Structure formats: structure tokens, C-alpha cells
Amino acid sequence: MSTFSYKPSGVCSKLIEIDSDNNIIQAVRFTGGCSGNTQGVASLCVGLDAKEVVKRLSGIKCGTKQTSCPDQLAMAISKMLEEKA
């Protein structure tokens, strides 16, 4: 299992940590952000293939912002997959 850390931008959360094993998400931890929402998104990702999570979460916006914590998680996972390739 490996852990990947990502500093999101344009959102309230300050750090996203992703544990994965063979591109299957094992755990996601947000530092900052709306606690209930980030915990919910993190929990829903566990057990899913990383590419599927990216597909589901990419492009989600938060109010008038151009991004959101779920969108930033998708960006983090994309970056994680790039670095593994």
C-alpha cells in the first residue's frame, strides 16, 4: 500500500491524503474543509478503482467556485496515477 499527499487549491481543505493498493482506494483523509462532506466523499471512495473515482468526481463545483473538494480529490488521484506510471 502507498500513501499520496496533495495540496489542493481553490477550496477550504488544505491537504488530501490517499492510501491506495494496486490503484484501489483504501482510505482518503482531508485536512480542513467541510468535515461532514469531506468524510462522506472519502468514505464513498473506499474500495473503488482510482480511475472510477476520477471519472465520478471530476468537474464538480462548490457554489460559484470553479472547483470543489471532490474535484480536487479527482485531481489528486489523477496526479497520483501519473506519478505511478
Side-chain angles (χ1 to χ4, degrees), residues 39-74:
Q39 286 180 59
V41 168
S43 179
L44 289 170
C45 294
V46 173
L48 294 178
D49 182 88
K51 291 179 183 177
E52 180 64 23
V53 174
V54 171
K55 180 179 160 187
R56 292 181 185 196
L57 300 181
S58 291
I60 294 175
K61 296 180 182 180
C62 182
T64 59
K65 296 178 183 179
Q66 294 301 306
T67 189
S68 66
C69 289
D71 185 52
Q72 289 293 301
L73 175 56

